[in-house]
Amino acid sequence: QVQLVESGGGLVQAGGSLRLSCAASGRTSSDYVMAWFRQAPGKEREIVAAIRWSGSTTYYTDSVKGRFTISRDNAKNMVYLQVNSLKPEDTAVYYCAARGGFGIYTTPSLYAYWGQGTQVTVSS
């Protein structure tokens, strides 16, 4: 079992920045993929970014490339999502997720572990 707890969300004006954090505990290991998803009201949950727990491979959805950065601190069992140049369309609940193995997938159902989510609201 892996437990995930997100923090760092909030209300920010367009163009602002936030750093989302995900604390992982339990049976974490080097062969995990960590990801950030988001879900806006009335929309499906979508992947934002992902990173392998070992190595440097990352993934970003097109709409956030150049604005968001995913990173990890293995020693602290933390995963971060730095979100810059925020837009009102970035407003959503952001979830941290984990899956075993090395494959980075965009489908939410392929991730076994989820946090409770943190709200990001961007005002125009």
Side-chain angles (χ1 to χ4, degrees), residues 27 29 41 52 54-56 60 62 85 90 93 105 115-116:
R27 296 185 62 183
S29 70
R52 289 189 176 136
S54 61
S56 60
Y60 296 93
D62 286 345
S85 302
D90 294 318
V93 177
Y105 297 96
Q116 82 288 351

Side-chain angles (χ1 to χ4, degrees), residues 65-85:
K65 286 180 180 177
R67 301 189 298 123
F68 291 11
T69 303
I70 190 170
S71 62
R72 67 180 193 279
D73 183 332
N74 290 14
K76 296 182 179 180
N77 277 354
M78 296 291 294
V79 178
Y80 305 100
L81 186 68
Q82 179 67 40
V83 295
N84 299 329
S85 302

Side-chain angles (χ1 to χ4, degrees), residues 36-38 46-50 58-68 70 81 90 94 104 106:
W36 286 95
F37 285 77
R38 66 185 179 186
E46 64 170 353
I47 193 167
V48 174
T58 57
Y59 167 88
Y60 296 93
T61 195
D62 286 345
S63 62
V64 308
K65 286 180 180 177
R67 301 189 298 123
F68 291 11
I70 190 170
L81 186 68
D90 294 318
Y94 283 70
I104 293 180
T106 61

Side-chain angles (χ1 to χ4, degrees), residues 20-31:
L20 308 184
S21 299
C22 174
S25 61
R27 296 185 62 183
T28 56
S29 70
S30 62
D31 61 343

Side-chain angles (χ1 to χ4, degrees), residues 7-24:
S7 61
L11 173 64
V12 63
Q13 290 188 332
S17 299
L18 289 170
R19 190 176 81 154
L20 308 184
S21 299
C22 174

